[in-house]
Amino acid sequence: MARRQPPAGLARGRALSPAGPAAPGGNTPQGLAAALRRRRRLARLALFWEAVWPRAWPVLGALGLFLFLALLDLPQRLPGLLHILLLLAAAGGIGWLGWRAFRGFRPPDDGAAERRLERNSGLRHRPLAALSDRPAGDDPAALALWQVHQQRAAAQIRRLQVGTPRPGLPARDPRALRAAVALAVLAAFVVAGGEAPERLRRAFTPAFAGPAPVPALRLEAWVTPPAYTGAAPIFLDAGGGAATVPAGSKLQVSVSGGHGGAPELLLDAQATPFRALDGTSFTAEAMLEQGGRLAVRRQGSELAHWALTVQADTPPRVAFAEPPGRAPRGLGTRLPWRAEDDWGLASLRAELRLKARPEAPPLVVDLPLPGGQAKQARGTATPDLSAHPWAGLDVQARLVAKDGAGQEGASETASLGLPERSFNHPVAKRLIAVRKALSLEPERRAPARREIEDIARAPEAFEHDVTTYLALRAARSRLIVDRRPEAVPEVQEILWQVALALEEGRDGRTLRALQQAREALREALEQAEQNRAQDPNDPATQQQRAELERRIQELRDAIRQHLEALAEKLQRENAEAIPFDPQSRLMDQREMERRTRRMEEAAREGRMEDAKRELAELEEMLKALEEGRAQRAESPERQQRRERGQQQMGVVQDMVKRQSDMLDRSHQRAEGEERDRAARQRQQRLNPQGFRWPPEPQQPPPGQQAQPDPQEQAERDQDGRRQRALRRALGELMQQFGDLTGEVPEGLGRADQAMRDAQEQLRQGGDARDAQQRALQALQEGGRQMAQSMQRQFGLSQEGEGEGDPQDMAGENQPGGEGQDQAQGQGEGRDPLGRRSRDVNGNADNGADTRVPEEAELLRTRRLQEELRRRGAERERPAEELDYIDRLLRRF
């Protein structure tokens, strides 16, 4: 029978002696003993931490609170006696807390460590104690049995686990005050900064008499470069050093704390006094124009010094990258340039001086620079100077660059001749010659006056135009009466306008006036739309509406004059009359009047969006008018190819309409399924027992798929056949357009792929909305690409003939096959955009099928719009439904 030895360390030294049992797995007894000692040591450390940390927490908390007060410099603000009492109270409190916490503390021994190892490892029957015990007798059988038992116990040493120490402090500090104390001490260290050691020293040294302690000396200095450099401020090291700063920088020095009066700032031999902010804080500022030794002195002692090097700002450098001359295309003057500056370029200009009159004021042309004040830049400017009086004369050109500091740098001078416009009208040639002679010799007014009089004596040369005659007489009189030097440029401007009018004809002048009127009206509409929220009775609003009506009237007059000028030109050229020609897509003045009248009514009622839409349609009509003039000069073969392309683009519009209708049906079908599903769920909630009245068809089991509705399946099959037919038509269109232009738009290819996916989804009974949406978008993109291809092939814009805004392709104005009719040409009763014309009362002209909706229909339409907008504002609805609502709203 085994006899237990004393459990103390008496027999523990020979627990794993060489004579002991060998561990399985090849481990020696010495290795097992070392492993056991190592784990026993770790267990004692864990027990020690679990016992010490809860006892030390109150002491450390009190010490942290005192450090927090000391770092905030609060003890130094107390009187000396109270400061001593605070120190005594802190020392006594910390000592009492330490005595109370560690009273009766005993370090853990090996026995406790072994119990922790056995407990954390899940070992029973204290196997570690069996390693140090031995049998009481010398029976060989008992010894053999005991040796086997020790081998089993030694094998369990590898399973020993120390475990993580668990002091149990959260139970004693449930509010986590320890974290608050640690955070407060850390924040106090951040606030104290470099004064932390000094504040701790003052916390343990009470001051009984004398003045309050002086704060520690703190010196800060920084240099702010000029704003045009874009450089960041440069901070100078308080210990001294060297720095390089731009010229014109601003130096700022701040001194606080320390002993003594106000310091002074020394830059070489120049002294700058500091300005007092309070009793211990001072600041000084100085502009740095030159470098040298910078020092801060106080009461004869030097606080800091720096060696500053001021970098002077050099003027910018600019030059012609290539010899200037005429642009390869047009009437522009090509000015290639390159420029650089150490801190960045601010502006660049070209100065042109007349070679024959160097003393004349130069012609200054501002050249654009890249953004961001680039330090190095290059580019080529092509300003159009053909309208200047010096056009056709030799000039001397130079480039002038300017930096942020106001310094300028100039390039070398280059000679070139300014491009001039060529005139074919004989009178225009003579006027331009007079204008050029005045540029060379402005003091010789008599020859110019005589030449103008000779031109005016022969009015048949300018078709007896009264306007031209009066302009010539005005120029002659100004040369005689007005002796100011500025009169010559004014006469030159009159001669230029007369020559330009004679060369371009009346239609050119009226076209420019029409463009100016359109731009002025567009700006007035945008300004009125911005101020739409103001009170209608406000005088400013009423004045703005009057201005808008005046602009509309000016546009109406400009349109009328332009149409009259075109009619006169056609009559001179023995061409057909202007009022209406369906083959050339020209429009009569009545349609223009209708457009402008509707625009005026919309502006008067405050419907700025409708007014802008009318203006946009009017501009499209005017563009179609110009295109009609250009199309008359086309060859029959080219015109036939262009018409074929327009027909194909009309087919694309019809495809967009049909695809949009199919997408609408898919949305309606999905909404119906969603309503049925919601109704079934609501019925199940109302009847939890499953009873229904009236009875409904029995629902299929969960594992079995529901059979589709025969009517719904028939609709899907019909949509699938329509989708297949539409895809087949798209393939034929792609082939025809490829034969016509030699290229197939990429968007049409994506539309074919999306249609195939939609067809497959419809055949399988799935949701085809995503594929149909992609097909619709790809068709619209393909229409835009077809328009661009037509633009490249024929050089004519296709706007207004079928492919405008892709969103309009699916609108109400493109029903069915109307796009094909529109592309084939407009017959009697259609405007240049292919729509039926209407008179003022809304009745259809020439048998048109357009009618004005009645008041009840307008009211119903308005209610539908309000309901759609209300549903569209509920953003929690499904994305497919919101997209469907947006597409419906676009139709209105």
Side-chain angles (χ1 to χ4, degrees):
M1 182 175 180
R3 177 176 61 85
R4 180 174 296 277
Q5 300 295 328
L10 299 178
R12 193 165 287 115
R14 59 180 182 274
L16 295 175
S17 61
N27 293 333
T28 63
Q30 292 82 358
L32 294 176
L36 181 59
R37 286 195 299 271
R38 184 169 58 255
R39 286 176 172 77
R40 188 186 296 125
R41 189 181 307 112
L42 293 176
R44 291 184 63 181
L45 290 176
L47 291 173
F48 181 80
W49 175 253
E50 292 176 352
V52 169
W53 175 237
R55 300 170 185 267
W57 148 239
V59 180
L60 295 178
L63 183 60
L65 181 60
F66 180 78
L67 287 177
F68 173 73
L69 299 177
L71 290 172
L72 295 181
D73 208 14
L74 295 179
Q76 189 65 23
R77 301 178 183 272
L78 298 176
L81 184 58
L82 292 180
H83 193 169
I84 292 178
L85 292 177
L86 177 62
L87 291 175
L88 294 177
I94 294 175
W96 180 78
L97 288 175
W99 172 81
R100 184 173 180 274
F102 289 94
R103 181 180 54 183
F105 173 72
R106 294 291 185 273
D109 56 3
D110 291 343
E114 291 178 356
R115 302 292 83 75
R116 177 186 178 88
L117 292 173
E118 293 172 348
R119 182 174 61 256
N120 290 344
S121 304
L123 302 180
R124 296 183 298 174
H125 307 301
R126 302 177 66 178
L128 296 180
L131 297 177
S132 60
D133 291 344
R134 59 179 301 170
D138 296 332
D139 184 6
L143 289 176
L145 182 60
W146 184 252
Q147 192 172 19
V148 172
H149 177 62
Q150 284 186 328
Q151 290 177 356
R152 292 178 179 176
Q156 295 179 351
I157 292 179
R158 291 176 298 178
R159 296 170 48 193
L160 294 178
Q161 296 180 1
V162 178
T164 305
R166 300 180 181 275
L169 190 58
R172 299 191 179 189
D173 183 20
R175 299 184 181 275
L177 296 179
R178 58 192 183 279
V181 172
L183 184 61
V185 172
L186 179 61
F189 265 109
V190 174
V191 171
E195 296 183 0
E198 179 63 20
R199 292 188 179 187
L200 291 177
R201 186 192 63 80
R202 291 200 299 264
F204 291 97
T205 56
F208 291 94
V214 179
L217 178 65
R218 186 170 185 177
L219 187 146
E220 295 180 347
W222 64 95
V223 178
T224 304
Y228 68 85
T229 62
I234 302 173
F235 291 89
L236 303 180
D237 189 3
T244 301
V245 297
S249 300
K250 182 180 180 181
L251 170 67
Q252 291 179 278
V253 183
S254 175
V255 178
S256 61
H259 298 275
E264 61 179 354
L265 182 65
L266 298 177
L267 181 57
D268 286 344
Q270 298 179 359
T272 302
F274 276 73
R275 178 169 52 91
L277 300 178
D278 55 26
T280 59
S281 300
F282 306 90
T283 183
E285 299 178 355
M287 299 301 296
L288 301 178
E289 299 296 343
Q290 59 182 1
R293 188 176 187 273
L294 177 67
V296 179
R297 298 177 62 87
R298 173 187 273 182
Q299 292 183 348
S301 63
E302 194 173 85
L303 302 181
H305 70 275
W306 302 272
L308 293 183
T309 302
V310 176
Q311 181 182 1
D313 189 5
T314 59
R317 294 169 297 278
V318 61
F320 285 105
E322 299 176 7
R326 181 168 181 169
R329 297 180 180 178
L331 298 176
T333 302
R334 188 172 182 271
L335 300 174
W337 57 269
R338 64 172 183 270
E340 60 180 0
D341 186 69
D342 49 0
W343 291 111
L345 299 167
S347 63
L348 178 64
R349 69 180 187 271
E351 293 183 354
L352 307 178
R353 294 185 180 272
L354 191 59
K355 197 171 184 180
R357 293 172 52 221
E359 72 282 356
L363 169 61
V364 179
V365 180
D366 292 329
L367 305 182
L369 285 173
Q373 289 188 346
K375 296 183 179 181
Q376 293 183 352
R378 61 186 305 149
T380 301
T382 56
D384 187 359
L385 305 177
S386 59
H388 195 267
W390 294 353
L393 302 177
D394 293 335
V395 297
Q396 297 285 340
R398 71 165 187 166
L399 300 173
V400 179
K402 186 178 181 180
D403 61 5
Q407 301 181 101
E408 292 185 351
S411 67
E412 297 181 354
T413 304
S415 300
L416 73 152
L418 291 183
E420 64 175 336
R421 176 171 178 170
S422 61
F423 289 87
N424 298 320
H425 198 282
V427 177
K429 289 182 178 181
R430 296 177 63 183
L431 293 177
I432 292 301
V434 174
R435 180 172 179 258
K436 191 180 299 184
L438 288 174
S439 298
L440 295 174
E441 297 176 337
E443 68 280 357
R444 299 190 61 185
R445 299 189 179 191
R449 175 179 57 81
R450 289 193 296 268
E451 182 68 16
I452 293 175
E453 289 176 352
D454 293 342
I455 296 174
R457 289 193 189 100
E460 65 277 359
F462 48 84
E463 295 89 17
H464 296 275
D465 186 52
V466 179
T467 304
T468 302
Y469 179 79
L470 293 177
L472 294 176
R473 298 295 295 179
R476 169 190 172 277
S477 300
R478 183 163 295 186
L479 286 177
I480 297 174
V481 178
D482 195 348
R483 309 307 299 178
R484 296 179 301 116
E486 294 82 4
V488 174
E490 294 174 359
V491 171
Q492 289 178 320
E493 180 63 23
I494 294 175
L495 297 179
W496 170 258
Q497 294 295 337
V498 174
L500 201 62
L502 292 174
E503 183 69 21
E504 294 181 351
R506 186 186 174 193
D507 58 332
R509 298 194 302 270
T510 56
L511 179 60
R512 289 197 305 271
L514 177 59
Q515 293 174 352
Q516 295 175 0
R518 285 160 52 187
E519 291 297 330
L521 178 58
R522 184 180 294 107
E523 294 177 0
L525 286 174
E526 292 177 356
Q527 186 176 2
E529 188 176 9
Q530 294 176 359
N531 302 332
R532 184 169 52 184
Q534 296 181 358
D535 186 8
N537 298 324
D538 189 17
T541 305
Q542 295 178 359
Q543 183 179 1
Q544 189 176 22
R545 288 186 178 179
E547 176 69 15
L548 190 58
E549 293 178 359
R550 186 176 67 84
R551 295 295 186 184
I552 294 176
Q553 183 62 35
E554 291 178 355
L555 178 62
R556 184 183 293 114
D557 296 339
I559 292 174
R560 177 180 53 79
Q561 295 175 3
H562 184 54
L563 292 178
E564 292 176 357
L566 290 179
E568 294 177 359
K569 183 176 181 180
L570 290 176
Q571 290 176 1
R572 288 195 305 267
E573 297 175 354
N574 296 325
E576 67 272 13
I578 188 68
F580 188 79
D581 185 1
Q583 300 300 326
S584 302
R585 297 189 179 95
L586 300 182
M587 63 198 69
D588 57 358
Q589 191 172 352
R590 292 184 304 167
E591 181 63 21
M592 295 290 187
E593 290 291 338
R594 295 191 190 101
R595 290 289 177 186
T596 54
R597 189 176 296 109
R598 285 198 291 268
M599 189 189 313
E600 187 175 4
E601 292 175 358
R604 187 181 302 111
E605 296 174 1
R607 296 181 285 108
M608 298 304 166
E609 295 181 357
D610 296 341
K612 293 177 67 176
R613 183 166 57 251
E614 294 291 343
L615 177 60
E617 294 181 359
L618 186 61
E619 290 177 345
E620 292 180 358
M621 292 180 182
L622 293 172
K623 186 175 292 186
L625 173 64
E626 296 299 325
E627 292 174 359
R629 294 176 56 198
Q631 291 169 7
R632 291 198 303 271
E634 290 181 345
S635 62
E637 182 181 358
R638 182 180 177 87
Q639 186 174 3
Q640 183 179 7
R641 293 182 59 196
R642 179 179 53 78
E643 291 179 356
R644 286 176 54 194
Q646 293 173 355
Q647 293 176 6
Q648 294 171 3
M649 295 172 64
V651 174
V652 172
Q653 291 184 5
D654 185 68
M655 288 184 177
V656 169
K657 178 64 172 58
R658 293 167 61 185
Q659 186 65 53
S660 177
D661 293 341
M662 296 184 65
L663 181 60
D664 293 342
R665 287 194 296 272
S666 298
H667 277 297
Q668 294 173 1
R669 186 162 51 247
E671 289 180 354
E673 295 176 357
E674 185 67 24
R675 286 195 299 269
D676 295 343
R677 189 181 303 108
R680 288 194 297 268
Q681 294 177 357
R682 185 167 56 254
Q683 187 69 23
Q684 291 177 0
R685 289 195 301 269
L686 294 177
N687 299 317
Q689 300 298 329
F691 300 102
R692 297 176 176 84
W693 185 262
E696 297 182 357
Q698 185 176 2
Q699 300 293 332
Q704 183 179 356
Q705 185 177 4
Q707 296 295 330
D709 187 6
Q711 183 178 358
E712 179 181 348
Q713 185 63 32
E715 292 179 358
R716 288 181 178 273
D717 295 341
Q718 185 179 4
D719 285 350
R721 290 191 295 270
R722 291 175 178 174
Q723 190 70 70
R724 183 171 60 254
L726 186 60
R727 183 187 172 207
R728 187 181 299 112
L730 177 60
E732 296 177 357
L733 174 66
M734 293 167 61
Q735 182 178 1
Q736 295 175 4
F737 193 79
D739 296 339
L740 179 65
T741 61
E743 55 181 335
V744 178
E746 182 182 357
L748 298 183
R750 294 198 302 269
D752 180 80
Q753 179 65 31
M755 287 182 182
R756 184 174 63 180
D757 297 342
Q759 176 184 346
E760 186 67 20
Q761 290 290 338
L762 291 172
R763 187 182 62 84
Q764 297 178 358
D767 190 358
R769 288 180 293 176
D770 180 64
Q772 290 175 343
Q773 181 69 28
R774 288 188 285 109
L776 182 61
Q777 295 175 356
L779 279 175
Q780 294 171 351
E781 180 65 24
R784 284 192 292 267
Q785 294 173 356
M786 290 176 66
Q788 296 172 1
S789 178
M790 293 285 292
Q791 175 81 16
R792 292 190 299 268
Q793 292 283 341
F794 304 106
L796 295 176
S797 175
Q798 301 299 322
E799 294 182 6
E801 296 186 6
E803 79 293 352
D805 187 358
Q807 298 296 343
D808 295 339
M809 289 185 178
E812 293 179 342
N813 295 331
Q814 307 294 340
E818 187 177 342
Q820 298 179 1
D821 299 336
Q822 181 181 356
Q824 293 171 358
Q826 289 78 16
E828 187 72 20
R830 291 186 181 271
D831 62 11
L833 301 182
R835 294 169 296 190
R836 297 286 184 179
S837 302
R838 296 183 304 173
D839 59 9
V840 180
N841 299 325
N843 298 324
D845 294 336
N846 302 322
D849 54 355
T850 305
R851 69 180 184 87
V852 177
E854 298 178 355
E855 185 66 25
E857 296 178 352
L858 292 175
L859 181 60
R860 182 172 178 270
T861 303
R862 190 177 300 111
R863 290 177 179 175
L864 287 175
Q865 293 178 8
E866 294 175 355
E867 178 64 21
L868 288 175
R869 291 190 178 94
R870 184 188 65 80
R871 295 188 181 185
E874 298 174 357
R875 309 311 297 179
E876 65 274 4
R877 291 178 177 269
E880 295 83 359
E881 182 177 355
L882 293 176
D883 179 70
Y884 178 60
I885 293 175
D886 291 341
R887 291 174 51 253
L888 288 178
L889 285 174
R890 283 197 294 268
R891 291 192 170 192
F892 295 98

mmCIF file of all heavy atoms in Angstrom, residues 800-820:
data_model
loop_
_atom_site.group_PDB
_atom_site.id
_atom_site.type_symbol
_atom_site.label_atom_id
_atom_site.label_comp_id
_atom_site.label_asym_id
_atom_site.label_seq_id
_atom_site.Cartn_x
_atom_site.Cartn_y
_atom_site.Cartn_z
ATOM 1 N N GLY A 800 -33.644 67.443 -85.702
ATOM 2 C CA GLY A 800 -34.954 67.805 -86.201
ATOM 3 C C GLY A 800 -35.484 66.868 -87.236
ATOM 4 O O GLY A 800 -36.560 67.049 -87.746
ATOM 5 N N GLU A 801 -34.731 65.817 -87.616
ATOM 6 C CA GLU A 801 -35.193 64.899 -88.637
ATOM 7 C C GLU A 801 -35.240 63.475 -88.135
ATOM 8 O O GLU A 801 -35.133 62.536 -88.872
ATOM 9 C CB GLU A 801 -34.305 64.998 -89.878
ATOM 10 C CG GLU A 801 -34.378 66.350 -90.538
ATOM 11 C CD GLU A 801 -33.630 66.394 -91.835
ATOM 12 O OE1 GLU A 801 -33.161 65.334 -92.265
ATOM 13 O OE2 GLU A 801 -33.517 67.449 -92.428
ATOM 14 N N GLY A 802 -35.335 63.328 -86.856
ATOM 15 C CA GLY A 802 -35.604 62.005 -86.370
ATOM 16 C C GLY A 802 -34.771 61.536 -85.266
ATOM 17 O O GLY A 802 -35.092 60.576 -84.628
ATOM 18 N N GLU A 803 -33.618 62.118 -84.956
ATOM 19 C CA GLU A 803 -32.773 61.527 -83.940
ATOM 20 C C GLU A 803 -32.318 62.556 -82.944
ATOM 21 O O GLU A 803 -31.219 62.539 -82.505
ATOM 22 C CB GLU A 803 -31.554 60.857 -84.571
ATOM 23 C CG GLU A 803 -30.450 61.775 -84.968
ATOM 24 C CD GLU A 803 -30.849 62.663 -86.082
ATOM 25 O OE1 GLU A 803 -31.903 62.488 -86.643
ATOM 26 O OE2 GLU A 803 -30.145 63.552 -86.387
ATOM 27 N N GLY A 804 -33.152 63.459 -82.513
ATOM 28 C CA GLY A 804 -32.726 64.459 -81.577
ATOM 29 C C GLY A 804 -32.346 63.863 -80.266
ATOM 30 O O GLY A 804 -31.531 62.990 -80.162
ATOM 31 N N ASP A 805 -32.949 64.327 -79.241
ATOM 32 C CA ASP A 805 -32.687 63.786 -77.915
ATOM 33 C C ASP A 805 -33.179 62.362 -77.857
ATOM 34 O O ASP A 805 -34.305 62.053 -78.199
ATOM 35 C CB ASP A 805 -33.404 64.649 -76.874
ATOM 36 C CG ASP A 805 -33.046 64.255 -75.467
ATOM 37 O OD1 ASP A 805 -32.277 63.303 -75.312
ATOM 38 O OD2 ASP A 805 -33.538 64.899 -74.537
ATOM 39 N N PRO A 806 -32.346 61.425 -77.420
ATOM 40 C CA PRO A 806 -32.794 60.028 -77.396
ATOM 41 C C PRO A 806 -33.985 59.807 -76.516
ATOM 42 O O PRO A 806 -34.748 58.879 -76.723
ATOM 43 C CB PRO A 806 -31.551 59.277 -76.886
ATOM 44 C CG PRO A 806 -30.712 60.321 -76.246
ATOM 45 C CD PRO A 806 -30.978 61.575 -76.932
ATOM 46 N N GLN A 807 -34.179 60.668 -75.508
ATOM 47 C CA GLN A 807 -35.359 60.491 -74.673
ATOM 48 C C GLN A 807 -36.629 60.783 -75.464
ATOM 49 O O GLN A 807 -37.698 60.255 -75.174
ATOM 50 C CB GLN A 807 -35.272 61.400 -73.438
ATOM 51 C CG GLN A 807 -34.089 61.093 -72.556
ATOM 52 C CD GLN A 807 -34.143 59.732 -71.942
ATOM 53 O OE1 GLN A 807 -35.190 59.121 -71.904
ATOM 54 N NE2 GLN A 807 -33.044 59.224 -71.466
ATOM 55 N N ASP A 808 -36.533 61.653 -76.487
ATOM 56 C CA ASP A 808 -37.703 61.994 -77.270
ATOM 57 C C ASP A 808 -38.073 60.902 -78.247
ATOM 58 O O ASP A 808 -39.137 60.942 -78.847
ATOM 59 C CB ASP A 808 -37.462 63.300 -78.035
ATOM 60 C CG ASP A 808 -37.299 64.467 -77.065
ATOM 61 O OD1 ASP A 808 -37.759 64.324 -75.926
ATOM 62 O OD2 ASP A 808 -36.699 65.491 -77.453
ATOM 63 N N MET A 809 -37.188 59.931 -78.453
ATOM 64 C CA MET A 809 -37.492 58.871 -79.401
ATOM 65 C C MET A 809 -38.672 58.035 -78.943
ATOM 66 O O MET A 809 -39.386 57.448 -79.748
ATOM 67 C CB MET A 809 -36.261 57.973 -79.602
ATOM 68 C CG MET A 809 -35.138 58.637 -80.377
ATOM 69 S SD MET A 809 -33.804 57.497 -80.697
ATOM 70 C CE MET A 809 -32.694 58.515 -81.644
ATOM 71 N N ALA A 810 -38.850 57.961 -77.642
ATOM 72 C CA ALA A 810 -39.957 57.161 -77.110
ATOM 73 C C ALA A 810 -41.089 58.033 -76.651
ATOM 74 O O ALA A 810 -41.951 57.623 -75.932
ATOM 75 C CB ALA A 810 -39.472 56.277 -75.965
ATOM 76 N N GLY A 811 -41.103 59.300 -77.043
ATOM 77 C CA GLY A 811 -42.123 60.234 -76.586
ATOM 78 C C GLY A 811 -43.376 60.134 -77.396
ATOM 79 O O GLY A 811 -43.585 59.329 -78.282
ATOM 80 N N GLU A 812 -44.295 61.042 -77.100
ATOM 81 C CA GLU A 812 -45.587 61.024 -77.753
ATOM 82 C C GLU A 812 -45.510 61.508 -79.194
ATOM 83 O O GLU A 812 -46.369 61.192 -80.001
ATOM 84 C CB GLU A 812 -46.566 61.919 -76.971
ATOM 85 C CG GLU A 812 -46.908 61.387 -75.615
ATOM 86 C CD GLU A 812 -47.844 62.313 -74.893
ATOM 87 O OE1 GLU A 812 -47.954 63.467 -75.261
ATOM 88 O OE2 GLU A 812 -48.492 61.841 -73.968
ATOM 89 N N ASN A 813 -44.488 62.253 -79.508
ATOM 90 C CA ASN A 813 -44.376 62.804 -80.847
ATOM 91 C C ASN A 813 -43.823 61.808 -81.847
ATOM 92 O O ASN A 813 -43.582 62.129 -82.987
ATOM 93 C CB ASN A 813 -43.512 64.078 -80.834
ATOM 94 C CG ASN A 813 -44.161 65.179 -80.054
ATOM 95 O OD1 ASN A 813 -45.381 65.229 -79.988
ATOM 96 N ND2 ASN A 813 -43.377 66.072 -79.485
ATOM 97 N N GLN A 814 -43.578 60.581 -81.431
ATOM 98 C CA GLN A 814 -43.010 59.587 -82.346
ATOM 99 C C GLN A 814 -43.873 58.337 -82.366
ATOM 100 O O GLN A 814 -43.452 57.253 -82.045
ATOM 101 C CB GLN A 814 -41.570 59.240 -81.926
ATOM 102 C CG GLN A 814 -40.666 60.415 -81.755
ATOM 103 C CD GLN A 814 -40.409 61.138 -83.049
ATOM 104 O OE1 GLN A 814 -40.611 60.556 -84.103
ATOM 105 N NE2 GLN A 814 -39.972 62.357 -82.993
ATOM 106 N N PRO A 815 -45.108 58.408 -82.706
ATOM 107 C CA PRO A 815 -45.946 57.214 -82.675
ATOM 108 C C PRO A 815 -45.731 56.331 -83.888
ATOM 109 O O PRO A 815 -45.613 56.790 -85.022
ATOM 110 C CB PRO A 815 -47.369 57.796 -82.647
ATOM 111 C CG PRO A 815 -47.246 59.097 -83.348
ATOM 112 C CD PRO A 815 -45.878 59.597 -83.129
ATOM 113 N N GLY A 816 -45.743 55.046 -83.634
ATOM 114 C CA GLY A 816 -45.714 54.067 -84.695
ATOM 115 C C GLY A 816 -44.663 54.301 -85.726
ATOM 116 O O GLY A 816 -43.502 54.435 -85.467
ATOM 117 N N GLY A 817 -45.055 54.295 -86.962
ATOM 118 C CA GLY A 817 -44.119 54.465 -88.059
ATOM 119 C C GLY A 817 -44.002 55.873 -88.543
ATOM 120 O O GLY A 817 -43.639 56.099 -89.685
ATOM 121 N N GLU A 818 -44.336 56.848 -87.711
ATOM 122 C CA GLU A 818 -44.235 58.234 -88.152
ATOM 123 C C GLU A 818 -42.811 58.615 -88.465
ATOM 124 O O GLU A 818 -42.539 59.494 -89.273
ATOM 125 C CB GLU A 818 -44.806 59.159 -87.069
ATOM 126 C CG GLU A 818 -44.888 60.602 -87.505
ATOM 127 C CD GLU A 818 -45.524 61.462 -86.442
ATOM 128 O OE1 GLU A 818 -46.169 60.889 -85.566
ATOM 129 O OE2 GLU A 818 -45.365 62.691 -86.513
ATOM 130 N N GLY A 819 -41.834 57.958 -87.800
ATOM 131 C CA GLY A 819 -40.449 58.267 -88.100
ATOM 132 C C GLY A 819 -40.099 57.966 -89.544
ATOM 133 O O GLY A 819 -39.333 58.674 -90.180
ATOM 134 N N GLN A 820 -40.696 56.908 -90.090
ATOM 135 C CA GLN A 820 -40.425 56.596 -91.489
ATOM 136 C C GLN A 820 -41.024 57.645 -92.395
ATOM 137 O O GLN A 820 -40.399 58.085 -93.359
ATOM 138 C CB GLN A 820 -40.980 55.201 -91.831
ATOM 139 C CG GLN A 820 -40.329 54.084 -91.036
ATOM 140 C CD GLN A 820 -40.920 52.750 -91.379
ATOM 141 O OE1 GLN A 820 -41.798 52.660 -92.205
ATOM 142 N NE2 GLN A 820 -40.440 51.695 -90.770
#
